Amino acid sequence: MPTPPPSSTWHLVGGGAIGMALAHRLYATGEPVRLVTRTPCPDPVELVYRDGDGPPVTWSCPTTSPSEESPAAGRTVHRLVVATKAYSVGDVLDAWGPRLAPGARVFFLQNGTGFRRPGDLPEGVHALDAVNTGFAAFRSGERTVKQTGDEPFQIGDVIGRSAPAFDSIIDDLDHLNRAGIEAVWTPSIREHQWLKIAANAVINPLTAIYGCRNGVLLDRAETSDLVDSLCVENDRVLEALGFGAASRGLLERTRHIIRATASNVSSMLTDLNRGDGRSELDYINAALIRAATDHDVEVPVNRSIHDRVAERFAACRSR
Ligand SMILES: NC(=O)c1ccc[n+]([C@@H]2O[C@H](COP(=O)([O-])OP(=O)(O)OC[C@H]3O[C@@H](n4cnc5c(N)ncnc54)[C@H](OP(=O)(O)O)[C@@H]3O)[C@@H](O)[C@H]2O)c1
């Protein structure tokens, strides 16, 4: 079979907050995009995007589904952005792996670690991790998204290369930057992932347990003390992982994130409220506890907080 021509279309899998926000930013600068939703969706679908408190922009977003892009058509997808929660990544790659062209780039936007399986991508496909601490978006309606933060995505590969290994990756980053999605290559993606996990492992479970918006964590003595205790433990884990220098100021950074996202509902609380028992706990809190165990670091507060959240998710599953 002849090799199909490279496609420049961005396939964004996951029509949630991040997927809808990125799709709009790319589309607005003329990039070809296709949003892939889990449930059937009209093509195009009408979406609403708001940049902060700016005016709502209604736009027609092209969509597609794995069934429309059958593997029989060949491996035609070159740019895949996985914008689902960590627990959905396996399903996404089962569906889209066979459609990825040799040399395709797959961008993983998930919070946490440990959601990839060995051999989950075809040979010759490049996996890229994207970490951000400030590109924040939330759904204010089924097809409405508001973007509330705009800090750079750090992008890197598992090898920790000092620069992108292929021109196609450089080209992708250029296109993201032109769309106003700041994308910076980093040789230290693992460090960025763990710094983010260390803060997420504080904010996510506490907001889920106390059923509150992020900002409330610093308003109450009980939750504020827990923020402090968790940061002390997480700092030790980062130190043991070799990220001590970068981790300095974890408590201050976490408090800053809480203040900057004060009115946000965390993604773990959103998952808990959805009520189907699916959570990112294993990829964030349990991942941190596993790392602590591997390095003989005691994390009793983390263990207790993890167990309290796990109980709440288990209660949803058994309902
Ligand atoms: N939102 C933020 O500000 C933010 C910031 C930084 C990082 N992140 C990370 O980015 C990722 C996405 O976050 P989010 O807030 O956008 O989550 P979200 O609003 O829950 O969106 C995820 C979307 O993925 C869809 N999905 C699940 N499985 C799918 C499949 N197999 N095929 C197609 N679509 C599928 C879900 O559909 P259903 O609803 O039908 O299940 C949902 O629409 C998470 O890992 C999150 O931790 C988010």
Side-chain angles (χ1 to χ4, degrees):
M1 192 191 290
T3 312
S7 154
S8 55
T9 301
W10 293 90
H11 285 71
L12 292 136
V13 188
I18 289 287
M20 284 195 285
L22 292 179
H24 179 264
R25 294 297 284 263
L26 287 162
Y27 184 84
T29 48
E31 293 286 321
V33 296
R34 292 223 167 253
L35 191 66
V36 182
T37 56
R38 196 163 64 91
T39 45
C41 187
D43 176 27
V45 64
E46 196 165 275
L47 299 179
V48 180
Y49 169 85
R50 276 187 83 182
D51 190 357
D53 292 326
V57 178
T58 302
W59 66 292
S60 289
C61 178
T63 68
T64 191
S65 67
S67 56
E68 282 167 52
E69 306 209 12
S70 109
R75 295 170 57 185
T76 53
V77 174
H78 288 253
R79 288 168 163 167
L80 190 78
V81 178
V82 185
T84 65
K85 293 282 173 69
Y87 46 74
S88 303
V89 168
D91 289 348
V92 171
L93 295 184
D94 286 347
W96 287 92
R99 293 158 178 83
L100 293 169
R105 284 80 61 205
V106 181
F107 293 81
F108 291 96
L109 268 50
Q110 288 60 41
N111 284 337
T113 186
F115 46 82
R116 300 269 319 278
R117 296 177 307 218
D120 61 2
L121 288 178
E123 206 149 315
V125 169
H126 312 304
L128 300 160
D129 289 310
V131 174
N132 80 92
T133 47
F135 189 102
F138 66 91
R139 269 195 270 197
S140 49
E142 196 197 341
R143 291 182 178 164
T144 303
V145 67
K146 179 171 172 174
Q147 190 183 326
T148 55
D150 208 2
E151 284 174 38
F153 279 91
Q154 301 286 334
I155 297 185
D157 60 21
V158 72
I159 295 171
R161 288 187 177 91
S162 58
F166 297 91
D167 288 346
S168 54
I169 301 174
I170 297 172
D171 189 51
D172 289 347
L173 301 195
D174 283 348
H175 282 260
L176 289 169
N177 280 306
R178 263 182 259 152
I181 302 164
E182 203 183 334
V184 181
W185 184 264
T186 175
S188 323
I189 195 70
R190 213 171 144 261
E191 181 175 296
H192 286 286
Q193 281 170 329
W194 276 101
L195 290 178
K196 186 153 189 198
I197 288 170
N200 279 155
V202 176
I203 301 167
N204 271 328
L206 292 180
T207 50
I209 290 170
Y210 291 90
C212 63
R213 288 180 188 265
N214 296 359
V216 175
L217 294 180
L218 298 182
D219 293 344
R220 297 185 191 153
E222 183 186 0
T223 45
S224 183
D225 288 351
L226 283 167
V227 168
D228 293 4
S229 311
L230 287 168
C231 283
V232 168
E233 289 187 2
N234 296 358
D235 216 357
R236 288 191 200 122
V237 177
L238 290 175
E239 185 90 42
L241 286 167
F243 307 134
S247 88
R248 247 159 248 141
L250 175 64
L251 175 59
E252 255 334 289
R253 216 169 31 252
T254 305
R255 285 175 167 269
H256 169 75
I257 295 169
I258 292 172
R259 283 188 213 103
T261 60
S263 61
N264 288 14
V265 176
S266 77
S267 69
M268 203 169 276
L269 178 56
T270 305
D271 281 349
L272 189 64
N273 288 340
R274 202 186 45 237
D276 62 13
R278 288 181 302 163
S279 91
E280 294 190 299
L281 201 57
D282 200 42
Y283 313 99
I284 299 175
N285 294 83
L288 188 130
I289 292 169
R290 283 194 297 274
T293 307
D294 289 348
H295 292 85
D296 294 323
V297 179
E298 299 286 336
V299 286
V301 185
N302 271 281
R303 286 183 192 283
S304 133
I305 292 294
H306 168 275
D307 293 351
R308 288 170 68 184
V309 184
E311 265 170 38
R312 281 172 166 70
F313 278 104
C316 291
R317 281 193 291 274
S318 60
R319 252 183 238 141

